[in-house]
Amino acid sequence: METFMEKEDKLQNILAGYNKVVVGFSGGIDSTLVLKEAADILGKKNVLAIVANSELFTDEEYNKAIALAQELDVQVNGIELDYLADENISNNTPQSWYYMKKMFYSALNKVAADFNADAVLDGMIMDDNTDFRPGLRARDEAKAVSVLQKADIYKTDVRKIAKKLGLNNWNKVASCSVSSRFPYYTKLDSKKIARVMDAEAYLRGLGFSTVRVRVHGTVARVEVPTDSFAGFMSLREKINNKLLKLGYEFVTLDLSGFESGRMNEVLSENTKKKVLVG
């Protein structure tokens, strides 16, 4: 079995095969590792980080990503993506993730052409192959490259390599499109999105760094890790009052605790297969 250092060597050898690259950069640890290694191997003038801003991700995440790329002293540009203008996305079907990533990679390919880049790189890792990731099909169609997957790198490897490199966000909590807070086939609009962002920002401000506010009509179902339950309940009245003021009629704590991708659990394996193969 390869060690994480051997996998890092493999990653560096893969990156050395390019001259210039564009990196789809979210500020998360996976894409940060790609950006750092690419800049070290190819030289900073040959690497361009692109951060996408949209209604489905917070301005805070966008600004932090821009600042992190600048901290790494890498060229970085922001782009605006109007996801909700596309009904394939705003209708929030299981296919919506595919259309989001299709828009994302299309934008990156245009930037890459202007930058004369050999490739568009992303931060997909091996763990993503075992999850419901319709975006992988959009990636393949756009011919973007997941160099971490090519190096057989998993999340545990990413964190070890990132810590070794001294990256400050080596243990950063993963973020995700706010569309994941709604059941499939819930029509999305800016008001619903803003309410979730406000609720989660409030909870993070109380110290719950890992939190999701899942919305079921007028019900806000809050997910935090189970070891945060005691702290949550000690603030339950305060939290309840705030979320009611935001417009929810009921506030609940999910007793199963936080789990990424919870809304995907209702999808049948047949539905997932159809979405993934197109």
Side-chain angles (χ1 to χ4, degrees), residues 139-193:
R139 175 204 63 187
D140 292 344
E141 291 173 356
K143 301 189 186 314
V145 184
S146 300
V147 288
L148 297 178
Q149 288 191 347
K150 284 185 171 293
D152 196 37
I153 289 176
Y154 289 80
K155 180 67 78 176
T156 55
D157 302 312
V158 169
R159 297 203 187 281
K160 289 176 182 177
I161 297 170
K163 190 174 183 180
K164 178 181 75 72
L165 293 174
L167 296 176
N168 293 331
N169 64 342
W170 66 271
N171 63 345
K172 182 179 184 293
V173 177
S175 60
C176 186
S177 165
V178 179
S179 62
S180 69
R181 310 314 194 259
F182 300 87
Y184 286 112
Y185 305 103
T186 300
K187 181 70 175 180
L188 303 180
D189 58 44
S190 57
K191 184 177 180 180
K192 293 175 182 176
I193 295 296

Side-chain angles (χ1 to χ4, degrees), residues 25-234:
F25 185 59
S26 68
I29 187 53
D30 303 331
S31 60
T32 299
L33 179 59
V34 174
L35 186 62
K36 168 66 175 172
E37 295 279 17
D40 288 349
I41 296 296
L42 303 178
K44 294 173 182 176
K45 70 179 186 303
N46 295 314
V47 178
L48 175 61
I50 296 297
V51 184
N53 198 17
S54 79
E55 315 96 320
L56 299 181
F57 292 87
T58 66
D59 289 340
E60 179 184 7
E61 287 291 326
Y62 173 78
N63 292 332
K64 283 183 177 180
I66 293 288
L68 178 55
Q70 293 172 338
E71 183 182 320
L72 294 172
D73 196 27
V74 177
Q75 302 175 84
V76 57
N77 289 335
I79 58 173
E80 295 284 337
L81 297 179
D82 190 1
Y83 286 130
L84 293 184
D86 185 342
E87 288 191 349
N88 291 307
I89 298 171
S90 63
N91 287 335
N92 199 34
T93 72
Q95 286 273 15
S96 293
W97 291 92
Y98 164 75
Y99 287 104
M100 285 173 58
K101 287 299 185 179
K102 184 174 182 177
M103 186 184 297
F104 174 69
Y105 287 118
S106 177
L108 292 187
N109 276 336
K110 290 177 181 177
V111 172
D114 293 337
F115 190 59
N116 293 319
D118 302 324
V120 166
L121 310 183
D122 68 17
M124 291 285 190
I125 56 177
M126 291 301 292
D127 307 64
D128 293 320
N129 287 335
T130 61
D131 199 357
F132 177 61
R133 299 286 186 183
L136 294 174
R137 177 159 63 98
R139 175 204 63 187
D140 292 344
E141 291 173 356
K143 301 189 186 314
V145 184
S146 300
V147 288
L148 297 178
Q149 288 191 347
K150 284 185 171 293
D152 196 37
I153 289 176
Y154 289 80
K155 180 67 78 176
T156 55
D157 302 312
V158 169
R159 297 203 187 281
K160 289 176 182 177
I161 297 170
K163 190 174 183 180
K164 178 181 75 72
L165 293 174
L167 296 176
N168 293 331
N169 64 342
W170 66 271
N171 63 345
K172 182 179 184 293
V173 177
S175 60
C176 186
S177 165
V178 179
S179 62
S180 69
R181 310 314 194 259
F182 300 87
Y184 286 112
Y185 305 103
T186 300
K187 181 70 175 180
L188 303 180
D189 58 44
S190 57
K191 184 177 180 180
K192 293 175 182 176
I193 295 296
R195 184 182 295 153
V196 168
M197 288 183 175
D198 288 345
E200 291 188 351
Y202 175 75
L203 289 165
R204 286 195 299 272
L206 293 179
F208 301 100
S209 57
T210 301
V211 62
R212 297 287 187 268
V213 176
R214 313 284 190 188
V215 180
H216 302 267
T218 60
V219 178
R221 175 172 59 83
V222 182
E223 293 181 16
V224 295
T226 54
D227 60 8
S228 296
F229 279 8
F232 186 94
M233 292 307 294
S234 70

